[in-house]
Amino acid sequence: MADPQYILPNDIGVASLDCREAFGLLSPTERLYAHHLSRAAWYGGLVVLLQTSPEAPHIYALLSRLFRAQDPEQLKECALKEGLTEDEYQEKLERLVLGSRAAQEHPEEVGGLWQVCGDLMFSLEPQQRHLGLGNEGTTTYFSENCTLEDAKLAQSFLDSQNLSAYNTRLFKGVDADGKPCFEVRLASILREETTPDSDMTPKLKSYEFEGCQFQVTRGDYSPLLQKVVQHLEKAKAYAANGLQEHMLSQYIESFTQGSIDAHKKGSRYWIQDKGPIVESYIGFIESYRDPFGSRGEFEGFVAVVNKSMSAKFERLVESAEQLLKELPWPPAFEKDKFLTPDFTSLDVLTFAGSGIPAGINIPNYDDLRQKDGFKNVSLGNVLAVAYATQREKLTFLEEEDKDLYIRWKGPSFEVQVGLHELLGHGSGKLFVQDEKGAFNFDQNTVINPETGEQIRSWYRSGETWDSKFSTIASSYEECRAESVGLYLCLHPRVLEIFGLDGPEAEDVVYVNWLNMVRAGLLGLEFYTPETSSWRQAHMQARFVILRVLLEAGEGLVTVVPTTGSDGRPDARVRLDRHKIRSVGKPALERFLRRLQVLKSTGDVAAGRALYQGYSAVTDAAPENFLALRETVLLRKEARKLIVQPNTCLEGSQVQLLEYDASAAGLIRSFSERFPEDGPLLEDVLTGLAKADAHFWRNPTVVAAPRA
């Protein structure tokens, strides 16, 4: 029997993002700006296929061909005529694909695509069923022969040359003497061409580093980035101000040349562009899915301001400097000056990437965050649909908690997202020694509150949080931000800002903490016992917090195995609301201080020991988490699929195209996303994948049962 964690039900929930009202309030010029930014984001989002697995681009091309020839209803009708039942239509994919109109019209092309990806998409061979480096999973950020040691060596090389890993991939080969050699390939439109005024041209060469050859090249994803840049150029004509024009010019330079420095310059303009009606960001942003934690997945979003919710976040920003003083670390560990950021609630029009978050704090560049600031974004229409839960599907809670949870989950999540993004990701200082040897802290007076001694470690020039803490950086930082949210939601001023007081405020605090400990248990779905590894940064972070609160003792949190009404294993999470302040807060205070001190000082060894210790999943009593993991998998609810709208030009007017909240609606949204160049994009994606196919082998696979 196949492992249930790799199986999704046919009746998976589907929700539709509603941004009709927000879009309707835009002027014609703002709509044109949003339209071209959305087109840039969607074209760039296809890069993610090439950053995931060798077969991902072929799967996309296969499905695109299938649904260009027949929409879901036509395909279903065809399948039923072929003798498939309603259930078989959803399950017997090979028969459906090879019997489709697309296969009848282009048998060699469709058959070839199926041959490349058919077995791989169903493979349950350990190395192919989840993301990972080397023998621990699959990734196309690295060639298959790259090891963790290779990734560390490459990071050291990049640091030595002051090159960012964000827009790179790493491919390993062997030179004529049998020594390992590496290609560091930058994402850019330009390939071999050089431009004398570019900061990238001198870096495109061969290097000798620690006995290995490194060749820096560029041109990764070139045809897709050409499409991105075409629409960024068009968007410039409708920019609201000079900051937006300069921002887009620098993004264009970045994607053309492969320059992260240019993207940083664009991000500086973006930070300065306060309160735009149409908000956006685009580039190689989040490093969650790089097994080493340094390379950014392409992401682009376009959204419209929700003014009423934004007003609450603005009040939170106004109180930020005072609230930062409440955090449990000495002032020397906080930024020298709080750079007041933008914090807006947005209704998403477009979010291209591997998933849609509830909130964002960007840019992720450490030097910009320390010196220039950042922006916070809460995605209101995502919160409204993606995190809604039906009572009958609420797992692991006591019956008396369920109604309270449903009533206050939304408001509590708004509070948590606000604190997580603004005062979680937005807090804390990194101790740095620059290239001239100067420190940004006083070595003589700053004392480590954990040891009582002077600071003994810090970040050297070229080192960043991601490069130094690598594989744990993303999850560690998410844990720190989530902990800040829990800690500060107890503050009366925070609750007042969100319009909460009295018993209702206490209910929101309770549900926020209850949601976190429940999420910690749910996170076990994303733990892989075979490799003792976590596959999702946020869920690992929430499990760590659950462990910290369990460790606090005194009955604050308990996780109890039970038997469900259906006779199958179940569990209950219990939180004593009367002990949140007396037991939970001090425990979180100690943990948060340790997290920040180790981050500030760049103490990788101690940070890794702390975080991996709490991340360990064992069968130790009393919780027996490995056994509980099986219960979590048995009771898991699949995450909703999100249907997003499209925009299209009709003459000089931009129209919003919306779709049903159904699987068919989701398919139609993708089919109509690239109406003019769908076939070309299929060829581009498969061509790019084939060009690099030699970096990954196709071993015999163990497939899930299928027809």
Side-chain angles (χ1 to χ4, degrees):
M1 181 178 176
D3 190 326
Q5 72 176 310
Y6 301 107
I7 296 174
L8 290 176
N10 286 332
D11 62 348
I12 190 170
V14 183
S16 183
L17 279 189
D18 181 8
C19 64
R20 185 186 316 159
E21 181 180 348
F23 183 80
L25 295 173
L26 297 179
S27 70
T29 300
E30 289 164 346
R31 291 186 184 187
L32 284 162
Y33 183 64
H35 167 71
H36 287 296
L37 289 175
S38 292
R39 303 305 299 148
W42 285 126
Y43 280 113
L46 295 174
V47 166
V48 176
L49 297 165
L50 296 158
Q51 296 178 305
T52 301
S53 68
E55 70 273 16
H58 300 280
I59 295 173
Y60 176 89
L62 177 66
L63 295 176
S64 179
R65 274 184 175 270
L66 203 65
F67 292 113
R68 271 198 297 108
Q70 294 167 286
D71 70 22
E73 285 304 313
Q74 292 171 330
L75 191 64
K76 181 178 179 180
E77 185 179 331
C78 175
L80 296 178
K81 285 180 181 177
E82 288 288 319
L84 294 178
T85 67
E86 290 263 356
D87 286 340
E88 288 173 333
Y89 167 64
Q90 298 189 68
E91 294 172 358
K92 298 197 173 182
L93 186 58
E94 182 175 12
R95 188 172 166 188
L96 184 66
V97 167
L98 299 182
S100 69
R101 182 186 300 167
Q104 292 167 10
E105 294 175 352
H106 303 281
E108 289 188 11
E109 290 91 336
V110 173
L113 285 168
W114 178 259
Q115 189 172 5
V116 171
C117 68
D119 284 335
L120 288 169
M121 76 168 83
F122 286 95
S123 172
L124 291 181
E125 195 273 329
Q127 191 177 346
Q128 295 176 326
R129 62 191 181 189
H130 52 247
L131 298 175
L133 183 59
N135 294 326
E136 294 195 355
T138 187
T139 179
T140 44
Y141 283 116
F142 300 86
S143 58
E144 192 174 41
N145 57 350
C146 281
T147 65
L148 180 60
E149 291 307 311
D150 293 328
K152 290 177 181 177
L153 177 65
Q155 188 62 59
S156 296
F157 163 72
L158 291 169
D159 289 344
S160 74
Q161 299 301 317
N162 203 24
L163 277 168
S164 171
Y166 269 114
N167 65 341
T168 70
R169 292 198 286 170
L170 184 69
F171 304 106
K172 182 181 180 181
V174 179
D175 66 16
D177 298 322
K179 294 181 180 179
C181 59
F182 298 90
E183 177 192 1
V184 175
R185 190 188 301 169
L186 310 178
S188 69
I189 293 174
L190 294 180
R191 299 176 188 268
E192 289 82 15
E193 313 96 309
T194 60
T195 48
D197 57 343
S198 168
D199 65 325
M200 296 310 299
T201 299
K203 299 180 184 293
L204 302 172
K205 60 182 181 180
S206 182
Y207 301 78
E208 185 78 20
F209 184 78
E210 295 190 10
C212 295
Q213 202 74 17
F214 280 85
Q215 184 76 35
V216 178
T217 67
R218 65 180 175 185
D220 220 359
Y221 326 120
S222 175
L224 296 175
L225 292 177
Q226 286 180 41
K227 288 291 196 180
V228 173
V229 163
Q230 286 172 15
H231 282 282
L232 293 180
E233 288 280 13
K234 291 178 180 179
K236 278 174 65 178
Y238 306 105
N241 54 52
L243 289 171
Q244 291 179 1
E245 289 180 28
H246 291 315
M247 170 189 80
L248 294 175
S249 293
Q250 291 298 327
Y251 292 164
I252 290 166
E253 174 74 4
S254 174
F255 300 143
T256 301
Q257 301 286 352
S259 170
I260 289 296
D261 282 344
H263 196 268
K264 286 183 177 182
K265 290 176 184 175
S267 298
R268 286 191 178 95
Y269 288 120
W270 178 72
I271 293 166
Q272 294 168 36
D273 184 28
K274 304 286 188 183
I277 300 299
V278 177
E279 183 63 282
S280 68
Y281 198 60
I282 190 168
F284 296 87
I285 312 300
E286 302 291 358
S287 57
Y288 301 127
R289 301 214 308 170
D290 169 15
F292 190 67
S294 293
R295 286 152 191 81
E297 181 175 89
F298 196 96
E299 176 179 294
F301 79 85
V302 184
V304 183
V305 171
N306 178 319
K307 292 184 178 178
S308 60
M309 180 53 71
S310 295
K312 294 180 182 177
F313 291 133
E314 286 169 13
R315 291 197 293 274
L316 187 63
V317 171
E318 289 168 3
S319 300
E321 287 192 80
Q322 289 304 311
L323 291 171
L324 282 171
K325 296 175 183 177
E326 302 293 327
L327 291 172
W329 48 78
F333 287 74
E334 193 48 69
K335 293 185 181 73
D336 299 332
K337 181 181 179 183
F338 180 70
L339 301 165
T340 305
D342 240 10
F343 197 164
T344 48
S345 178
L346 305 174
D347 285 343
V348 171
L349 174 64
T350 296
F351 206 111
S354 64
I356 310 178
I360 317 169
N361 176 285
I362 40 182
N364 287 328
Y365 305 121
D366 292 333
D367 49 348
L368 267 66
R369 296 172 65 81
Q370 298 284 321
K371 298 176 184 175
D372 299 274
F374 51 87
K375 281 188 181 181
N376 299 278
V377 169
S378 175
L379 304 177
N381 57 344
V382 177
L383 283 170
V385 297
Y387 297 90
T389 308
Q390 298 172 320
R391 193 183 196 281
E392 59 271 21
K393 291 189 175 183
L394 260 183
T395 54
F396 309 128
L397 293 182
E398 298 286 5
E399 287 300 315
E400 59 265 29
D401 281 333
K402 289 184 177 180
D403 290 334
L404 203 65
Y405 184 92
I406 288 171
R407 181 179 179 187
W408 295 111
K409 169 75 182 298
S412 73
F413 206 62
E414 286 175 356
V415 173
Q416 180 68 12
V417 168
L419 295 171
H420 173 115
E421 301 298 346
L422 176 65
L423 298 165
H425 291 314
S427 64
K429 177 177 180 174
L430 301 184
F431 295 158
V432 177
Q433 182 183 26
D434 66 21
E435 64 278 3
K436 296 178 181 178
F439 292 88
N440 69 341
F441 66 98
D442 190 328
Q443 284 184 286
N444 297 318
T445 61
V446 177
I447 299 298
N448 183 326
E450 294 292 302
T451 65
E453 300 173 350
Q454 292 181 328
I455 304 303
R456 299 185 183 279
S457 58
W458 49 83
Y459 297 79
R460 266 71 178 181
S461 176
E463 291 182 331
T464 66
W465 163 249
D466 279 337
S467 71
K468 203 165 174 65
F469 281 73
S470 64
T471 53
I472 66 165
S474 292
S475 185
Y476 187 115
E477 175 59 13
E478 293 305 329
C479 185
R480 196 182 68 88
E482 290 281 46
S483 298
V484 167
L486 284 188
Y487 187 76
L488 287 180
C489 81
L490 300 170
H491 198 284
R493 175 59 184 149
V494 169
L495 298 167
E496 179 188 320
I497 287 168
F498 285 88
L500 301 164
D501 59 17
E504 290 187 347
E506 289 305 305
D507 284 345
V508 165
V509 168
Y510 175 62
V511 169
N512 195 31
W513 280 61
L514 180 64
N515 182 54
M516 187 63 69
V517 295
R518 176 177 180 262
L521 181 61
L522 295 176
L524 287 169
E525 175 190 342
F526 298 89
Y527 177 77
T528 303
E530 295 83 358
T531 58
S532 300
S533 61
W534 287 87
R535 307 189 308 278
Q536 215 285 339
H538 296 78
M539 300 311 282
Q540 179 183 0
R542 291 158 190 161
F543 176 78
V544 167
I545 292 171
L546 171 61
R547 289 281 313 277
V548 169
L549 296 179
L550 282 166
E551 185 182 77
E554 299 186 44
L556 172 68
V557 175
T558 54
V559 182
V560 182
T562 63
T563 300
S565 58
D566 57 3
R568 300 189 301 172
D570 207 338
R572 290 291 177 270
V573 172
R574 295 168 184 154
L575 169 70
D576 188 335
R577 65 187 298 162
H578 303 295
K579 295 180 179 178
I580 290 175
R581 284 180 168 81
S582 61
V583 180
K585 184 180 179 182
L588 207 55
E589 182 174 302
R590 292 189 296 272
F591 179 62
L592 246 182
R593 182 166 53 245
R594 292 179 72 190
L595 286 178
Q596 182 57 50
V597 167
L598 296 173
K599 179 182 180 181
S600 289
T601 58
D603 190 341
V604 180
R608 194 172 286 276
L610 172 72
Y611 201 68
Q612 291 179 335
Y614 279 113
S615 298
V617 179
T618 71
D619 250 344
E623 285 79 29
N624 306 106
F625 281 120
L626 276 176
L628 278 173
R629 177 180 172 275
E630 298 302 317
T631 303
V632 169
L633 292 176
L634 183 68
R635 301 282 178 183
K636 75 171 185 175
E637 179 186 1
R639 294 180 69 180
K640 291 186 180 77
L641 300 175
I642 304 294
V643 183
Q644 298 188 55
N646 287 317
T647 56
C648 70
L649 270 177
E650 292 184 4
S652 60
Q653 301 296 309
V654 178
Q655 302 299 325
L656 184 70
L657 305 178
E658 298 177 286
Y659 303 90
D660 293 338
S662 65
L666 181 65
I667 290 165
R668 288 193 184 97
S669 73
F670 272 92
S671 296
E672 296 179 10
R673 197 149 282 152
F674 307 105
E676 297 173 356
D677 46 12
L680 174 63
L681 289 173
E682 293 160 14
D683 291 342
V684 165
L685 284 165
T686 55
L688 290 171
K690 288 174 183 176
D692 289 329
H694 60 284
F695 290 121
W696 300 277
R697 68 183 189 275
N698 287 335
T700 303
V701 299
V702 180
R706 62 183 175 87

